[in-house]
Amino acid sequence: MIETIRTKIMLLIVKKKKQVEKIKGILCQKIRKKLDVNIKESLRCVPSHVGGDRCHVECGLDSQHVVDPIENCCSCKNWDPTGIHCMHAVAIIHLKDELRKTYVQTWYTKQTQLAIYSNFIGPIRGPN
């Protein structure tokens, strides 16, 4: 059973590394898709800089949030645990005219994923 698990993990690492090598751009494909959704949703937000590092974002009558791009946090609590900026953060980053990809955590980059899958499990001789 352990030999079967080792073989499956060995093949999985090679498969994942090949997938990561095909990525075009800086970010992984799933993260880029989530980011694109947040970019579209940010179009309905109205950001305003209130001084200091914190900013105010309105997304309707009952939806107001505070974004701190330096601390990578938003009062909606979606940016903090995932590391992918929420629509409110995207609106602020767009207001500041900064590159959105610089605010995404480094573990979502192609370079980090290549480093993760660069460690292979080598083949071993059988019992015979």
Side-chain angles (χ1 to χ4, degrees), residues 52-54 67-73 79 96 98 103:
D53 296 331
R54 303 174 114 201
V67 179
D68 188 346
I70 303 300
E71 295 292 325
N72 288 354
C73 63
W79 191 7
K96 290 184 162 192
E98 294 178 356
Y103 287 95

Side-chain angles (χ1 to χ4, degrees), residues 15-79:
K15 179 182 170 186
K16 290 285 189 181
K17 183 168 171 67
K18 287 180 182 178
Q19 288 175 349
V20 171
E21 287 172 343
K22 292 178 184 177
I23 294 174
K24 294 178 178 145
I26 298 170
L27 298 175
C28 298
Q29 187 174 3
K30 287 182 183 179
I31 304 307
R32 196 173 331 127
K33 285 180 182 178
K34 289 180 182 181
L35 191 57
D36 289 342
V37 169
N38 288 345
I39 290 170
K40 285 181 184 178
E41 289 179 356
S42 74
L43 297 176
R44 62 186 175 98
C45 296
V46 180
S48 58
H49 186 73
V50 292
D53 296 331
R54 303 174 114 201
C55 300
H56 180 262
V57 179
E58 285 188 47
C59 296
L61 297 175
D62 296 333
S63 180
Q64 298 179 0
H65 295 281
V66 177
V67 179
D68 188 346
I70 303 300
E71 295 292 325
N72 288 354
C73 63
C74 178
S75 61
C76 74
K77 303 292 183 203
N78 287 331
W79 191 7

Side-chain angles (χ1 to χ4, degrees), residues 2 5 9 11 13 24 44 53 55 61 68-69 71-72 76 91 94 96 100 104 107 109 112 116-117 119 121-123:
I2 293 175
I5 292 170
I9 290 173
L11 296 174
I13 290 173
K24 294 178 178 145
R44 62 186 175 98
D53 296 331
C55 300
L61 297 175
D68 188 346
E71 295 292 325
N72 288 354
C76 74
H94 184 70
K96 290 184 162 192
R100 286 181 284 272
V104 177
W107 56 77
T109 63
T112 302
I116 289 170
Y117 295 115
N119 299 315
I121 297 175

